[in-house]
Amino acid sequence: MNLFQRFLKQIIFVYLLAWFIGSLWMMAVFGSGTVQGKLLGINVSQFHDYACFGFAGALGGALYGLRMFHEHYHELTPQWTYWYFMRPVLCFGSAIITIILFASGILLLQVDNSMSARISIAFLTGYGYGKFMEKLKALTTTFFNGTGNGNGNGNGNGNGGDTPKS
């Protein structure tokens, strides 16, 4: 293992650990209610819950990333490097969207409407990000392509192709 790869592995480990600890810390900060007013032009009190959901998702993503880093330590490639750096960020956003989809009724799951239940779902979304994306893809395929009449593909012309017929 060359010096650059060893240094990169240390950076990845510290990065994932920072997301893990930082997410726990930020959930505690938002949960305590000490952050008030505006932060970067955003009214914190309005988006307090969503920030908690995002950090719960990032926590799950960072935990999964740390687990994969441990299991595949000797298999670091540029693709995996990108994966490690993007995982907590993608999980942060996905967790928020998951809670919004549940709240809207598009995704159905029988859980308590408590904050702890929603944070748990957000965490699981982050931890199981790959499975979540598979379900989201299936949902969008069903939702936009339809399965009822068989003559539409979601492009509005019903011909099954990506471009309109001439």
Side-chain angles (χ1 to χ4, degrees):
M1 175 180 348
N2 65 29
L3 184 63
F4 176 74
Q5 200 170 30
R6 183 177 304 201
F7 184 66
L8 184 60
K9 287 180 179 182
Q10 291 172 350
I11 290 173
I12 290 170
F13 178 72
V14 169
Y15 175 79
L16 290 172
L17 197 58
W19 265 103
F20 184 81
I21 294 169
S23 294
L24 284 172
W25 181 263
M26 290 305 295
M27 287 174 61
V29 166
F30 281 108
S32 69
T34 57
V35 179
Q36 300 293 325
K38 290 191 174 188
L39 180 65
L40 301 173
I42 298 171
N43 187 350
V44 175
S45 61
Q46 283 184 314
F47 297 101
H48 155 271
D49 290 353
Y50 293 109
C52 287
F53 304 146
F55 283 114
L59 177 67
L63 179 62
Y64 189 82
L66 286 166
R67 182 180 145 232
M68 289 292 103
F69 183 74
H70 173 72
E71 287 183 16
H72 302 283
Y73 182 79
H74 296 290
E75 302 166 19
L76 186 64
T77 65
Q79 180 181 358
W80 277 107
T81 301
Y82 177 76
W83 184 90
Y84 287 124
F85 282 113
M86 289 305 299
R87 177 91 184 191
V89 176
L90 295 173
C91 293
F92 183 97
S94 297
I96 294 171
I97 294 302
T98 300
I99 298 303
I100 292 171
L101 289 171
F102 278 119
S104 70
I106 291 175
L107 290 178
L108 301 174
L109 184 64
Q110 296 294 329
V111 293
D112 189 25
N113 199 24
S114 69
M115 185 69 166
S116 61
R118 292 184 289 170
I119 286 175
S120 299
I121 291 170
F123 173 82
L124 290 173
T125 298
Y127 191 82
Y129 174 76
K131 299 287 185 203
F132 169 74
M133 291 309 289
E134 290 172 13
K135 291 294 182 186
L136 194 60
K137 183 178 178 182
L139 175 67
T140 56
T141 299
T142 301
F143 193 69
F144 293 113
N145 286 347
T147 56
N149 59 15
N151 66 353
N153 71 341
N155 66 5
N157 61 20
N159 67 4
D162 289 338
T163 57
K165 284 186 178 179
S166 312

